[in-house]
Every structure is written in C-alpha cells, then in structure tokens.
Amino acid sequence: MPNPEMSRRELLHAAGTAAVAATLPGVGRAHQDPPKPVGWAVLGLGGYAIRQIMPSFADAKLSKLVAVITGTPEKGVRAREQYGLKESSVYSYEQWDAIRSNPEIEVVYVISPPGTHREFTLEAIKAGKHVCCEKPMANTVAECDEMIAAAKRAKKLLQIGYRSHYQPHNLAAIEACRKSLGTLRSITSEHGFNMPAGTWRTQRKLSGGGALWDIGIYGVQAARYLAGAEPTEVMAMAHRLGQPRFDEVDDVTHMLLAFPGVVASVSTGYSWANANTYRVIGDRGQLYASPATSYQGHRLWINNREVAIEPNNHFAAQMDHLSEVIRNGGTLRTPGEMGRQDIRILEAAVTAARQRGPVRLEG
Ligand code: NDP
C-alpha cells in the first residue's frame, strides 16, 4: 500500500536536492570540459572565514581559494601554509594595486565587520574584482546604494552571503510555502544568542545595529523568502537590558512585518539563550524549522512530521553559485539589491520602534 507521507518526504528531498544541484556547476553541461575554477580571495580572517568559509573551498566545484587579504600578517602566513597558497598571495588592506594586478583573483569575499563592508567592497570593485559581501550588507541603505551603483558601473557582480538560499532544508521550506501549505496566514521567527561584551558586535560604528543587524536579519530574510513577497509596513518595539554591553546598540527587537495577506512576527536578541527558528502556518498546513538557519544540523517539520533531507555544504554551494554566474552568466540568487532591502527593513524597524508607530515601505 502506498505511504503518502513517504512519497511527500521523498518529493521534498528531491525538491531540495534538485534545487541545490541546480546551483552547482556542471549541471546540464555533460560532455564538455569542466570550466576553469574561479579564483577567490578571502578578506578578513576572523571566525567565520577561518572556521566555515575557507575549509568549504574543499567542497566547492568551481571556486578556488587563491589569496587572503588580512590586517594580521601571522594569520595570512597560517592560511598560506594551511591552504597551500602561493608565496605572494597574502595581502594587507592597503595593497589594492597588487590585488588588481593579480589576475588569479576574480572574486573578493568580504568577511569583515559590517561597518567596513562598504569601503572594502568599493576597493575590490575598483580593483576590477567581483564581490561576495557578507551579511548584513552594510550599516545603512545609503552605503548599500553606493555599493550597488559601483558594481553596476564596473559591470561586476555583487553577491550577498545569504547562505540559507543555498541550503536544502530552507529550499524545501520555501517549496512547501509555495505548494502545499495553502494560503499563508502566519509567519514567526526567532533568532538570537547571548552576546558577550567587548566585540565589534556591540559597537554601533562597526556592527550597524547590534542583534537586529547581526542575527535579526536572518528572521527578516526568512520572512521574505517564506512569504515570497515584500513587506509593505513595519512595526517594532526594541529594548535594552541596561547593561554596558548595550550602551551603543539595541538588545531585543520585536518586529511585525506586514506582507500582502500575511503578517510576520520577527524577534531577535543578544541576551538570549540560542534561538534559531521559524514557523509558517497556512490554511492547509504548517511547518516548523529549528535550527532553521544555523551552520549545520538543520531540522524541518511539515505538518508535525520531520522531513528527511540530505544536508549539503551550503557555504560551498553559495560560492559556487557566484562562480557559475561569472563563468556562464545568469541571474544572481542573492544580489546586492536583496541585501539592500533587508537594511531598508531594519532601518524602518528602528524608526518604528523609536516613534512607536508603523512605518510604511513604499515601492
Ligand atoms: P570576527 O570578529 O571573528 O572577524 C572579523 C575579521 O575582520 C577580523 O578578524 C579581521 O580580520 C577583519 N577586520 C577588518 N577590519 C576590521 C575592523 N575594523 N575591526 C575588526 N575586525 C576587522 O567576525 P566574524 O567572522 O564572525 O564576522 C565577519 C562578517 O561575517 C560579519 O559581517 C558577520 O555578520 C558575517 N558572518 C556571517 C555569517 C553567516 O553565517 N553568513 C556567520 C558569522 C559571521 P584580520 O585579522 O584578518 O584583519
């Protein structure tokens, strides 16, 4: 007797892996030589670069680590030894002329604090490179506009490091929202953790805006890709614990994002135990993900049954997507405009919290 749950699971599995496979190079190019890998330089050798991104080049099909750009020479030497990079492939933040002259570097991956993203992105584009820029794209919409305009002028690609768009559980959740949950009636998301004092993440100039810019952005992103639409209105309340670590930035923010036909409640905090979830309720079904957007261990339940999905290296899939578009053309899945829209929503949330009233997002 057929098992409807199993066939739905298999379907979702197939949907997830097929969507990821579509981001990988080589698909649909049987009988041709594989294209030359795209050379990437990683800028900013902090926690995310060292622990997640640089090791992921081993799983990339079309992206190759060829250089690092760092303000800490000893980290550069370590990276060079660990990844077998050429002697001349370690650059400082001042060596843009040398970076420009190295044709092996086609992409600069900016993985530094958000307050530096604008400057490093503009430098990389000026040096003739494509850019992948980590989230949040920048501190302000005005900075995002400059970055997008510079990339357009130079005819360079600008990708934002929104890795959930390349992760199969998130792709399966999107698929369910479009196909099986009916009309969406509610979206909720919580993203937060306990942030210690003394890092750039609690300094306004470098972080943009604390928990909201750093981790709340995952909930805003999720609300947008799950709804498959853009919010037209934002309401928000924000508060701080009254501790010195929150002198410059907000701790907890609760947002309501009004999408056509559905409201999303998105919350974030820097004084929380780990939270990394979203839930969607439609008029025909519902889903729950936790952890929803973490580095690994993603889990997804649709109508209270866990869906079996093969994990991928979504860091590598994200990089390979940009490399694929560089080599073969096509449309970027997570372009600068997507990053800008998130910053626009975050800025609206800050205004809404301050004025204690809704902010409309026109256009
Ligand atoms: P870290 O603090 O661990 O590292 C940041 C690195 O940036 C530093 O080690 C330094 O590298 C470089 N840097 C350049 N300019 C500055 C500056 N003015 N102050 C401090 N550091 C500077 O941060 P993360 O690696 O956690 O985060 C970096 C970026 O990646 C952020 O935008 C963050 O939001 C994003 N991120 C994204 C994640 C994702 O899942 N997509 C996960 C985690 C972070 P060096 O010593 O080489 O100069």
Side-chain angles (χ1 to χ4, degrees):
M1 193 169 146
N3 176 344
E5 180 52 31
M6 276 312 291
S7 35
R8 191 173 54 77
R9 267 194 218 166
E10 282 159 12
L11 189 74
L12 279 163
H13 178 114
T17 47
V20 170
T23 74
L24 296 175
V27 173
R29 258 204 317 267
H31 314 303
Q32 284 179 21
D33 286 341
K36 181 173 167 266
V38 170
W40 286 59
V42 166
L43 181 152
L45 304 184
Y48 188 54
I50 287 176
R51 287 195 284 274
Q52 309 302 330
I53 294 302
M54 286 158 61
S56 293
F57 281 98
D59 289 328
K61 308 275 188 298
L62 192 54
S63 312
K64 184 179 173 200
L65 180 67
V66 296
V68 292
I69 306 168
T70 176
T72 314
E74 54 278 19
K75 286 190 200 166
V77 171
R78 264 203 306 278
R80 191 180 66 208
E81 288 168 2
Q82 191 175 345
Y83 292 98
L85 305 178
K86 288 183 186 159
E87 193 72 25
S88 57
S89 60
V90 178
Y91 299 92
S92 74
Y93 299 130
E94 288 75 43
Q95 290 181 295
W96 288 103
D97 286 339
I99 293 165
R100 183 201 326 271
S101 319
N102 183 346
E104 268 201 316
I105 303 173
E106 294 174 76
V107 178
V108 173
Y109 192 166
V110 176
I111 320 186
S112 52
T116 66
H117 287 179
R118 171 197 160 276
E119 179 195 336
F120 287 139
T121 297
L122 296 183
E123 289 285 10
I125 290 169
K126 228 173 7 166
K129 313 301 180 186
H130 301 286
V131 172
C132 175
C133 176
E134 258 315 314
K135 48 61 56 180
M137 181 171 170
N139 284 4
T140 64
V141 168
E143 290 181 351
C144 297
D145 284 338
E146 266 190 87
M147 294 157 74
I148 291 167
K152 276 216 171 91
R153 263 197 315 272
K155 297 192 172 37
K156 294 293 160 193
L157 294 167
L158 173 55
Q159 179 192 43
I160 307 303
Y162 284 139
R163 56 186 171 74
S164 296
H165 289 259
Y166 308 89
Q167 198 285 323
H169 293 73
N170 281 274
L171 296 174
I174 293 170
E175 177 98 350
C177 286
R178 301 291 174 279
K179 296 199 173 149
S180 62
L181 303 190
T183 302
L184 304 189
R185 304 303 300 147
S186 168
I187 299 172
T188 51
S189 172
E190 287 109 21
H191 280 82
F193 57 93
N194 222 318
M195 169 55 58
T199 82
W200 58 261
R201 284 184 157 85
T202 53
Q203 297 168 27
R204 176 164 299 282
K205 208 166 151 228
L206 282 173
S207 74
L212 199 52
W213 259 246
D214 186 32
I215 184 86
I217 196 167
Y218 286 93
V220 171
Q221 259 291 298
R224 290 176 62 206
Y225 57 69
L226 295 167
E230 295 302 331
T232 54
E233 193 170 338
V234 181
M235 293 173 74
M237 291 186 82
H239 64 92
R240 299 176 183 186
L241 268 183
Q243 295 180 357
R245 63 180 164 151
F246 301 122
D247 276 354
E248 294 189 23
V249 293
D250 287 328
D251 168 19
V252 176
T253 302
H254 294 274
M255 284 171 275
L256 290 178
L257 309 182
F259 291 87
V262 62
V263 173
S265 163
V266 176
S267 308
T268 188
Y270 258 175
S271 57
W272 292 6
N274 277 350
N276 188 300
T277 68
Y278 55 66
R279 179 184 294 281
V280 184
I281 304 173
D283 61 3
R284 285 199 281 121
Q286 49 116 335
L287 65 78
Y288 174 67
S290 179
T293 63
S294 54
Y295 294 156
Q296 63 215 0
H298 301 81
R299 298 181 73 181
L300 174 68
W301 289 261
I302 298 184
N303 296 327
N304 297 317
R305 285 179 188 260
E306 187 163 10
V307 187
I309 298 174
E310 195 68 37
N312 70 341
N313 183 331
H314 60 295
F315 311 97
Q318 173 204 295
M319 294 190 287
D320 273 344
H321 174 69
L322 175 56
S323 296
E324 168 77 11
V325 176
I326 289 171
R327 282 288 175 270
N328 297 320
T331 306
L332 271 186
R333 194 180 293 182
T334 52
E337 287 78 2
M338 179 182 276
R340 177 195 188 273
Q341 173 69 350
D342 284 331
I343 303 300
R344 187 171 170 237
I345 293 167
L346 298 183
E347 285 189 346
V350 170
T351 305
R354 194 181 313 122
Q355 72 188 26
R356 302 227 156 215
V359 172
R360 284 204 61 77
L361 290 169
E362 309 293 348

